[in-house]
């Protein structure tokens, strides 16, 4: 079982004791006491409190500046403090590989039975090759480590695969973590690959190394206690991806149906490299978001005809029978059904055969992945599609493709062939943090009876607020988000999506 360790980086002993109690209350298995973060540390005065009164097992670390810590004194005093921590009953002490021989000599013959020495190596620039990592493990083992710890830095998410490989093959317990946002899955998927422990902080800003998630997210979003060797991995591939609510939503949905699966954020720079590196069947499916939806079409072995027509894939599954990647698009149904239901709801009519989009002028702002999905869907439903885009050329290409009309953003302001048109924003204009922006002036909204905004953070965008004030029926991007995620869940699992749970989860987290 991978242990959950909360790093304690408070400046005072009192705060560290309080944080230790908080870590226990959160469900941590142990804490790492970072002595180097204490501003006025006095070993004989402070360690009996910190170690003697510990409510949880402790790992004591006194990291020097030269290994990325805060301690600037000499090793003699540092080692004395670490020895004292060991004598007081600390379950673990961490010492750096560069000085491990000296420390091992110092504690030789004095190690209590339940004590374990962690010998660590940190690389804040990159992640070495598999061969170099293996030889580093061997050197750490030879130095007398009970537990090997290697922390490197992810320049690309692909780097993490090398760490996973080394952990799986390591003969002794190993902590193998890859720092930075691109290394996040090394922290989330530890239990799958057999890492000895992973760090989870008490809150944002309380990290001891770049990229540490909170313990609350580890336990409550990623359900880390349920992850094991057989757990299937799904994730959202994007750049940026940290803001995505998909992990919250899909993990809650997986849990509710008892599926042995986890869904993680994947900050990917190069989709082809990523898919080549993570090619095992353990990585069972991916959601794709900005900027990878269009490139994803070319990365799949087979693409669903609708996704191919749209030219964007937002869901990739790895076919269990042969490992082939199959691409789909669930944005299209998610957005179009949300708009249709919004119109029907406002008119008080049920689901009849004819779409309420049929025959309507349907204006789409944006010609990216979401714009293409909406354009394709609206055309399918018999609407007269108009595309307005910042880059006019892209609007024209999309209009030509689906048989529509193209506009510049300036032309959109006075575009008014008829009343009662439908407007859909598929650009990121108005998205947090730029909540005061809007893709079209309020004065131009009078010609629209229905306005949809793909942006869902915030839920009520400026566009939707002004459209409502202008008398239009508004449809939130949140509705599209829920529906496209339900579509993804069904493709990933072949099960019916737990709609009520997914709606409740989205409402709680957005
Ligand atoms: P994308 O493929 O990168 O396309 C972005 C589009 O927005 C392009 O047409 C781009 O115009 C335009 N754009 C971007 N910044 C602009 C600006 N400052 N001014 C004018 N136009 C701008 O992205 P996407 O995947 O389609 O996503 C677009 C938006 O939809 C995002 O906010 C995303 O979060 C949202 N979305 C929501 C859902 C949902 O479930 N609610 C699903 C998918 C997407 P150019 O062609 O000129 O670059």
């Amino acid at each position: 079982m991978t242990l959950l360790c909360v790093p304690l980086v408070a400046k005072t002993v009192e705060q560290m004791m309080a944080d230790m109690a908080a870590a226990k209350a959160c469900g941590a298995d142990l804490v790492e006491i970072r002595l180097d973060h204490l501003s006025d540390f006095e070993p004989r005065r402070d360690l009996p409190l910190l170690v003697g009164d510990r409510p949880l097992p402790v790992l004591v670390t006194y990291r020097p500046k030269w290994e990325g810590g805060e301690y600037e004194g000499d090793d003699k005093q540092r080692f004395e403090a670490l020895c004292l921590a060991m004598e007081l009953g600390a379950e673990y002490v961490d010492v750096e590989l560069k000085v491990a021989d000296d420390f091992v000599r110092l504690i030789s013959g004095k190690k209590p039975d339940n004590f374990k020495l962690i010998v660590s190596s940190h690389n804040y620039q990159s992640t070495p090759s598999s061969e170099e990592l293996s030889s580093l493990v061997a050197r750490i083992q030879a130095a007398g480590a009970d537990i090997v710890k290697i922390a490197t830095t992810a320049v690309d998410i692909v780097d993490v695969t090398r760490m996973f490989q080394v952990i799986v093959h390591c003969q002794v317990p190993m902590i193998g973590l890859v720092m930075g946002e691109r290394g996040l899955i090394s922290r989330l998927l530890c239990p799958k690959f057999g890492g000895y422990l992973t760090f989870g902080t008490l809150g944002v800003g309380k990290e001891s190394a770049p990229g540490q998630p909170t313990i609350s997210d580890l336990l409550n979003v990623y359900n880390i206690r349920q992850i094991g060797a057989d757990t299937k991995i799904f994730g959202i591939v994007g750049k940026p991806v940290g803001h995505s609510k998909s992990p919250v939503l899909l993990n809650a949905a997986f849990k509710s149906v008892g599926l042995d699966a986890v869904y993680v954020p994947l900050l990917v720079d190069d989709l082809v490299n990523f898919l080549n590196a993570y090619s095992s069947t353990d990585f069972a499916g991916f959601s794709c978001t900005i900027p990878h939806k269009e490139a994803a079409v070319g990365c799949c072995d087979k693409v669903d005809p609708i996704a191919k027509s749209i030219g964007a894939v937002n869901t990739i599954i790895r076919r269990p029978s042969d490992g082939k990647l199959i691409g789909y698009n669930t944005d299209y149904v998610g957005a179009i059904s949300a708009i249709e239901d919004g119109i029907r709801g406002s008119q008080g009519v049920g689901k009849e055969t004819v779409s309420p989009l049929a025959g309507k002028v349907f204006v789409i702002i944006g010609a990216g992945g979401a714009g293409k999905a909406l354009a394709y869907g609206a055309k399918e439903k018999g609407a007269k599609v108009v595309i307005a885009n910042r880059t006019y050329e892209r609007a024209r290409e999309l209009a030509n493709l689906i048989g529509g009309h193209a506009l510049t953003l300036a032309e959109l302001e006075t575009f008014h062939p008829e009343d009662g048109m439908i407007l859909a924003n598929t650009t990121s204009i108005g998205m947090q943090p730029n909540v005061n922006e809007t893709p079209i002036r309020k004065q131009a909204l009078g010609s629209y009876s229905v306005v949809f905004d793909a942006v869902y953070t915030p839920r009520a965008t400026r566009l939707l607020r002004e459209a409502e004030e202008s008398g239009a029926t508004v449809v939130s991007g949140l509705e599209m988000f829920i529906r496209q995620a339900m579509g993804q869940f069904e493709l990933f699992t072949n099960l019916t999506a737990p709609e009520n749970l997914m709606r409740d989860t989205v409402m709680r987290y957005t």
Side-chain angles (χ1 to χ4, degrees):
M1 190 188 94
T2 296
L3 301 175
L4 290 191
C5 180
V6 168
L8 303 181
V9 292
K11 297 223 169 306
T12 66
V13 171
E14 293 68 34
Q15 187 58 50
M16 260 195 194
M17 294 301 292
D19 286 351
M20 231 185 275
K24 185 179 164 110
C26 284
D29 297 309
L30 74 156
V31 292
E32 180 185 37
I33 300 178
R34 286 294 299 263
L35 298 176
D36 52 304
H37 281 253
L38 288 168
S39 52
D40 173 33
F41 174 52
E42 185 57 61
R44 301 231 158 250
R45 181 193 64 198
D46 298 336
L47 282 173
L49 266 177
L50 286 166
V51 179
D53 287 352
R54 64 193 187 283
L56 280 174
V58 292
L59 151 59
V60 179
T61 301
Y62 204 179
R63 189 80 70 224
K65 271 255 174 259
W66 49 260
E67 185 85 359
E70 303 281 312
Y71 178 76
E72 291 189 281
D74 65 19
D75 279 347
K76 185 167 175 295
Q77 281 181 14
R78 198 162 71 87
F79 286 181
E80 278 172 11
L82 291 174
C83 281
L84 180 57
M86 179 184 80
E87 286 159 18
L88 287 166
E91 284 77 3
Y92 308 89
V93 159
D94 176 317
V95 72
E96 303 73 28
L97 174 62
K98 281 182 195 145
V99 294
D101 287 346
D102 297 340
F103 190 74
V104 167
R105 257 195 304 278
L106 201 65
I107 62 168
S108 164
K110 298 184 201 155
K111 268 170 60 170
D113 283 346
N114 67 341
F115 173 82
K116 291 196 166 46
L117 179 66
I118 299 174
V119 176
S120 62
S121 166
H122 298 78
N123 181 331
Y124 293 93
Q125 275 76 48
S126 61
T127 301
S129 67
S130 303
E131 295 70 31
E132 285 169 304
L133 283 176
S134 300
S135 104
L136 188 55
V137 168
R139 276 192 287 136
I140 292 176
Q141 266 184 268
D146 298 309
I147 298 169
V148 170
K149 178 183 174 194
I150 298 180
T152 62
T153 298
V155 175
D156 190 291
I157 193 167
V158 164
D159 297 342
V160 183
T161 54
R162 302 198 287 283
M163 189 63 84
F164 286 151
Q165 257 175 35
V166 172
I167 296 173
V168 166
H169 292 109
C170 190
Q171 301 298 317
V172 293
M174 177 172 174
I175 304 165
L177 298 169
V178 187
M179 296 181 279
E181 195 184 347
R182 288 171 173 77
L184 179 62
I185 56 169
S186 72
R187 301 181 182 281
L188 305 181
L189 301 179
C190 264
K192 173 151 180 93
F193 296 96
Y196 186 78
L197 68 74
T198 190
F199 293 96
T201 68
L202 283 178
V204 176
K206 294 197 168 186
E207 299 84 10
S208 63
Q212 290 171 343
T214 64
I215 185 161
S216 163
D217 280 355
L218 286 174
L219 288 167
N220 305 321
V221 174
Y222 299 104
N223 305 310
I224 193 163
R225 299 282 193 205
Q226 272 70 54
I227 299 177
D230 296 331
T231 302
K232 290 285 178 204
I233 303 159
F234 295 88
I236 177 156
V237 170
K239 182 185 173 183
V241 78
H243 66 287
S244 171
K245 300 292 177 218
S246 294
V248 168
L249 187 54
L250 270 301
N251 281 314
F254 288 166
K255 190 179 177 187
S256 77
V257 298
L259 203 73
D260 187 7
V262 62
Y263 185 99
V264 293
L266 300 158
L267 177 54
V268 168
D269 297 282
D270 183 314
L271 186 61
V272 174
N273 285 350
F274 169 81
L275 291 171
N276 283 339
Y278 292 89
S279 58
S280 98
T281 49
D282 280 340
F283 289 82
F286 307 105
S287 309
C288 293
T289 188
I290 298 175
H292 299 307
K293 282 183 190 177
E294 291 166 62
V297 178
C299 293
C300 292
D301 298 299
K302 196 172 156 226
V303 177
D304 167 77
I306 292 178
K308 200 178 262 175
S309 305
I310 294 169
V313 157
N314 81 329
T315 313
I316 300 176
I317 60 160
R318 192 182 303 282
R319 197 159 57 191
S321 55
D322 57 7
K324 296 256 189 266
L325 297 176
I326 321 293
Y328 298 90
N329 190 306
T330 66
D331 282 340
Y332 144 66
V333 176
I336 294 295
S337 71
I339 297 170
E340 285 179 329
D341 288 350
I343 297 172
R344 289 180 180 128
S346 74
Q347 295 171 346
V349 296
K351 281 195 180 171
E352 68 272 8
T353 41
V354 178
S355 166
L357 307 186
K360 291 277 163 91
V361 174
F362 194 111
V363 178
I364 296 162
I365 314 178
K372 285 179 173 164
L374 269 115
Y376 174 86
K379 190 70 190 174
E380 280 288 300
K381 298 290 181 176
K384 294 177 258 176
V385 178
V386 177
I387 321 279
N389 193 44
R390 175 177 62 182
T391 309
Y392 174 73
E393 194 51 33
R394 290 185 82 196
R396 207 164 50 94
E397 272 171 29
L398 180 54
N400 286 345
L401 191 72
I402 56 137
H405 183 68
L407 295 177
T408 64
L409 288 184
E411 286 167 338
L412 177 67
E413 294 292 334
T414 52
F415 183 69
H416 182 184
E418 62 187 49
D419 285 338
M421 300 187 292
I422 300 166
L423 180 70
N425 172 44
T426 69
T427 73
S428 48
I429 301 173
M431 188 163 85
Q432 273 167 1
N434 305 315
V435 294
N436 290 324
E437 292 179 3
T438 185
I440 181 169
R441 282 183 316 121
K442 187 177 177 185
Q443 288 80 338
L445 289 173
S447 340
Y448 298 93
S449 60
V450 179
V451 176
F452 164 80
D453 198 343
V455 173
Y456 62 93
T457 51
R459 266 193 236 176
T461 57
R462 178 174 164 193
L463 172 66
L464 291 189
R465 277 187 279 113
E466 292 184 346
E468 205 158 27
E469 284 159 18
S470 309
T473 295
V474 299
V475 180
S476 161
L478 208 55
E479 198 51 46
M480 171 183 178
F481 176 65
I482 293 168
R483 291 174 188 225
Q484 63 79 30
M486 285 169 57
Q488 294 193 325
F489 177 93
E490 293 182 358
L491 287 168
F492 289 154
T493 66
N494 282 323
L495 299 170
T496 304
E499 179 170 357
N500 291 341
L501 172 118
M502 291 176 82
R503 287 187 178 281
D504 289 349
T505 307
V506 164
M507 291 306 166
R508 239 178 312 125
Y509 282 92
T510 51

